[in-house]
Amino acid sequence: MKDLPKIELHLHHEGAAPPAFIRGLAKEKGVDLSGIFREDGSYAYRDFWHFLSVYEAATSVLQTPEDYARLTRAVLEESAENGVIYSETFLSPDFCGGGDVDAWRDYLHAIRETAEAAERDLGITLRGIVTCIRHFGPDRAKPIAECAAETAGDWLVGFGMAGDEMKGKPGDFLWAFDCAREAGLRITVHAGEWGGAASVRDALDALNPERIGHGVQAIEDLALVDRLAEDGIVLECCPGSNVTLGVFPSWRAHPIEKLRARGVKVTVSTDDPPFFHTTMTAEYENLARSFDWDEGVFAEIARTSLDAAFCDAATKEKIAKKLGD
Ligand code: ADE
Ligand code: ZN
């Protein structure tokens, strides 16, 4: 499983930070983060909403472009180790420069330079998706979208929204999404992780994304599932994240196979791997065990993921060769 070539479309950059890496930075900077770790060194949180605040506390020690360069190296080493050959990562100018465009450019430059070095020596290709954060509200999303629009191009390829989908409405963020779309960025929105099928419908109707982050609670409404299939909307499924956070009680209860069987384009990602004690290899192993997925299904998933990737055609061609197409 480890060696199967994998494509990951849904990964939060800070959420992929190994806890030991964050502890090391906290020590260097003299920040006390002891409250966010368990005794065994892993991240400690009670539920999804507490997870979001622990995530933000961990992120508080990532304070400079150099910190993000080091984080990028650590994240890409772990991904490459698990057979990932192409990855798209969520980056938030909220955490990288506080929404100031010039500061954001410095962070982006450091991340991109590190990614290009990793592409040369680890063989993994990375692209970025700027995400605004829903619970920070629509006014904060505007400068974030402007940061994204100013730096849109061959590396920064998408715009999205993460955070607490129970707060506000997708339509509140229309200005930000229009700004990003006009700059040529492709769109993905987190919905249907916690907010039910209605939340997926709202995101589709208000923001017209090509991809939905999670989207798995669409399973409650088969008419919506058929709409996703007919419109070719791609779901960035993160089953290990959903099971660990208690969205579904077990791997067998996760709807990814039902969605796939009904014609929805599903893909597989880790979301925030150390928080959820997962890796792309572990996701594949659990899917194989729970749904009898074999190499043929995983090859289909990789192809669906590459088709849905936001990178340009030349990059897709290069990755397709590595998939053996
Ligand atoms: N930010 C990081 N991980 C997230 C998740 N699973 N859902 C929403 N926002 C997030
Ligand atoms: Zn996510």
Side-chain angles (χ1 to χ4, degrees):
M1 282 297 174
K2 209 172 191 172
D3 294 335
L4 279 186
K6 304 174 186 74
I7 290 174
E8 177 157 43
L9 300 180
H10 188 119
L11 180 72
H12 297 265
H13 215 56
E14 300 85 5
F21 175 85
I22 293 295
R23 261 195 307 281
L25 270 187
K27 197 168 171 200
E28 279 174 33
K29 292 170 195 284
V31 177
D32 179 11
L33 281 185
S34 51
I36 70 162
F37 298 109
R38 293 186 212 283
E39 260 179 31
D40 67 2
S42 63
Y43 292 113
Y45 56 88
R46 292 181 299 276
D47 56 20
F48 173 67
W49 291 272
H50 188 218
F51 153 75
L52 289 177
S53 79
V54 168
Y55 183 112
E56 284 161 29
T59 299
S60 70
V61 299
L62 291 159
Q63 297 169 349
T64 66
E66 171 60 20
D67 295 340
Y68 269 85
R70 287 162 67 188
L71 171 64
T72 302
R73 181 72 198 188
V75 170
L76 290 174
E77 281 177 0
E78 176 69 15
S79 293
E81 176 67 27
N82 284 283
V84 177
I85 58 171
Y86 175 85
S87 176
E88 290 180 3
T89 192
F90 296 130
L91 298 167
S92 302
D94 282 291
F95 303 131
C96 300
D100 177 83
V101 176
D102 290 331
W104 161 245
R105 280 186 201 283
D106 292 342
Y107 280 83
L108 186 60
H109 177 75
I111 294 165
R112 184 173 175 168
E113 212 173 46
T114 309
E116 283 165 356
E119 181 158 15
R120 288 191 294 275
D121 58 34
L122 301 173
I124 179 170
T125 301
L126 185 69
R127 293 292 182 267
I129 298 174
V130 161
T131 47
C132 62
I133 296 172
R134 186 154 164 177
H135 55 272
F136 291 174
D139 287 341
R140 287 263 303 265
K142 288 180 185 173
I144 301 312
E146 286 171 330
C147 286
E150 284 291 325
T151 52
D154 60 340
W155 198 87
L156 201 281
V157 291
F159 184 74
M161 179 158 65
D164 182 0
E165 68 174 293
M166 309 307 269
K167 295 258 166 65
K169 296 189 296 295
D172 299 339
F173 296 84
L174 190 57
W175 189 96
F177 278 85
D178 281 348
C179 169
R181 206 188 311 264
E182 277 165 27
L185 291 164
R186 314 267 299 269
I187 303 299
T188 174
V189 179
H190 277 61
E193 179 186 16
W194 294 100
S199 172
V200 177
R201 224 180 252 289
D202 282 352
L204 291 173
D205 291 343
L207 302 174
N208 193 27
E210 295 174 56
R211 302 190 334 217
I212 294 276
H214 299 283
V216 283
Q217 290 191 334
I219 199 68
E220 295 166 356
D221 176 346
L222 292 182
L224 175 61
V225 172
D226 291 342
R227 174 178 172 187
L228 293 172
E230 277 157 28
D231 292 352
I233 305 293
V234 173
L235 299 189
E236 302 157 4
C237 296
C238 309
S241 159
N242 296 154
V243 172
T244 302
L245 286 170
V247 179
F248 301 101
S250 67
W251 272 85
R252 289 283 304 155
H254 194 279
I256 189 169
E257 172 56 18
K258 286 198 188 101
L259 290 160
R260 188 179 81 92
R262 216 172 158 99
V264 177
K265 292 183 178 177
V266 298
T267 63
V268 175
S269 295
T270 57
D271 209 7
D272 306 280
F275 281 89
F276 306 135
H277 310 285
T278 192
T279 62
M280 280 295 276
T281 306
E283 297 290 320
Y284 272 41
E285 283 169 352
N286 278 305
L287 288 163
R289 209 186 44 241
S290 307
F291 304 114
D292 289 327
W293 283 15
D294 57 17
E295 283 201 16
V297 178
F298 289 119
E300 173 197 308
I301 295 284
R303 234 166 274 121
T304 300
S305 305
L306 185 56
D307 281 347
F310 289 162
C311 60
D312 59 29
T315 308
K316 285 193 187 190
E317 222 171 278
K318 195 176 67 185
I319 304 300
K321 285 206 185 94
K322 291 194 188 180
L323 286 179
D325 289 1

